[in-house]
Amino acid sequence: MAVGIIIIGDEILSGRRHDKHLPKLIELLTERGMQLGWAEYVGDDPARITATLRRTFASDDIVFVTGGIGATPDDHTRQCAAAALNVPLVLTPQAEALIMERIADTSPDGVADMTQADNRHRLKMGEFPVGARVLPNPYNKIPGFSVENHHFMPGFPVMAWPMMAWALDTYYADLHHLTKHTERSVLVFGLAESTLTPLMEAIEAEYGGIKVFSLPSVGDAERGAVYARRHIDLGVKGDPALAGAAFERLVAGVEALGGEIIHAAQAVALLEGTVPSAK
């Protein structure tokens, strides 16, 4: 079982809007000791959305889906979810009640006048695939929905992010901090990835449950300081019981190869123009 996210909307693919959901979900998962396994971006193409959901429904993954659950012509997610499951859309009673509450909340007289065509149209936002559960929206009460391990929410961060957190805490509390994980890294200068590869392979072979990662940079002038130099962010991640020894092995190996090493605290201090406090 992995955690994934599907971000839907032509506006993301065209660049009209920048996606903020991916980094936020990573943050929410990290706070709970969980990790993101995959992410996909899909435009407002019903056939593609349906095919994507049909594939992910066939897995046991936990999937967050943002965007396209409104009631305008360019919103297809509710219909595509139903098509992927081969079930009809139905007005869910709990969703209907919440939408009517919202209509009343925004009405001058505090009454949900359902004789108005626009108010009746808003009820379409409560039409979910048969068997769906309501996903609460603390911002304006207009709910999303959950089906199996899939959770569908609006594209608005102010609504989607609390809904993500609610689903993680309500349905997956038993997965929080289930897998112990840690990560340690250094900045390496003066060595090529090809030179480091045998060392990385040896460490993964010696320490089961540990992965070695290498993130090369040609230099980030905008960030400045040591980051402006060509470097490799090199580190280990995985089982905390093994990470310490694997990290020391990594550092020793880089030094033996003649590489220059700057540790994370040193890099931050150089960036900020401060000196790490002595311990």
Side-chain angles (χ1 to χ4, degrees):
M1 174 187 289
V3 180
I5 183 169
I6 301 171
I7 299 156
I8 295 173
D10 285 347
E11 67 278 6
I12 300 295
L13 300 183
S14 69
R16 288 178 63 85
R17 289 189 178 177
H18 296 289
D19 170 52
K20 299 179 181 179
H21 297 304
L22 179 59
K24 184 61 179 183
L25 180 57
I26 292 171
E27 175 188 322
L28 292 172
L29 290 169
T30 300
E31 290 171 354
R32 292 158 176 79
M34 301 172 69
Q35 288 185 288
L36 187 69
W38 55 267
E40 294 189 33
Y41 292 90
V42 182
D44 294 313
D45 179 339
R48 190 175 297 277
I49 296 170
T50 300
T52 300
L53 291 174
R54 187 171 289 128
R55 170 169 48 81
T56 58
F57 273 125
S59 74
D60 63 353
D61 288 349
I62 299 165
V63 182
F64 293 89
V65 185
T66 68
I69 66 169
T72 55
D74 59 341
D75 290 319
H76 307 292
T77 305
R78 293 177 297 105
Q79 299 89 328
C80 292
L85 292 165
N86 294 313
V87 298
L89 286 174
V90 295
L91 180 58
T92 304
Q94 188 179 356
E96 179 182 17
L98 288 167
I99 294 169
M100 290 182 67
E101 281 184 29
R102 175 60 179 174
I103 293 171
D105 290 344
T106 56
S107 172
D109 57 7
V111 176
D113 183 0
M114 302 314 294
T115 64
Q116 295 185 18
D118 57 340
N119 284 342
R120 292 196 302 273
H121 182 74
R122 293 172 75 181
L123 290 178
K124 286 188 173 295
M125 292 187 291
E127 293 180 355
F128 303 147
V130 168
R133 310 180 302 278
V134 162
L135 181 57
N137 178 352
Y139 181 78
N140 66 1
K141 297 183 180 179
I142 306 297
F145 63 98
S146 298
V147 182
E148 299 176 5
N149 278 342
H150 283 54
H151 308 283
F152 297 82
M153 56 205 67
F156 300 104
V158 71
M159 303 179 194
W161 297 354
M163 297 165 88
M164 288 178 181
W166 185 91
L168 286 169
D169 293 338
T170 301
Y171 295 120
Y172 310 110
D174 59 325
L175 300 180
H176 294 185
H177 305 286
L178 185 64
T179 302
K180 299 299 182 183
H181 178 89
T182 193
E183 183 174 309
R184 298 181 66 180
S185 67
V186 292
L187 299 184
V188 176
F189 301 84
L191 294 177
E193 274 193 302
S194 57
T195 303
L196 292 166
T197 298
L199 172 63
M200 297 169 66
E201 293 173 341
I203 291 173
E204 289 197 350
E206 292 170 21
Y207 298 92
I210 290 293
K211 291 185 177 181
V212 185
F213 61 87
S214 171
L215 303 172
S217 171
V218 298
D220 187 346
E222 184 175 340
R223 195 172 185 188
V226 295
Y227 296 99
R229 298 167 55 193
R230 182 184 294 270
H231 63 274
I232 297 173
D233 185 357
L234 186 68
V236 299
K237 58 185 178 181
D239 186 348
L242 300 173
F247 181 70
E248 295 303 324
R249 170 78 169 84
L250 183 71
V251 169
V254 172
E255 291 174 341
L257 291 169
E260 177 190 353
I261 291 175
I262 294 182
H263 290 265
Q266 293 174 298
V268 171
L270 289 168
L271 185 63
E272 297 178 348
T274 61
V275 178
S277 59
K279 294 185 178 179

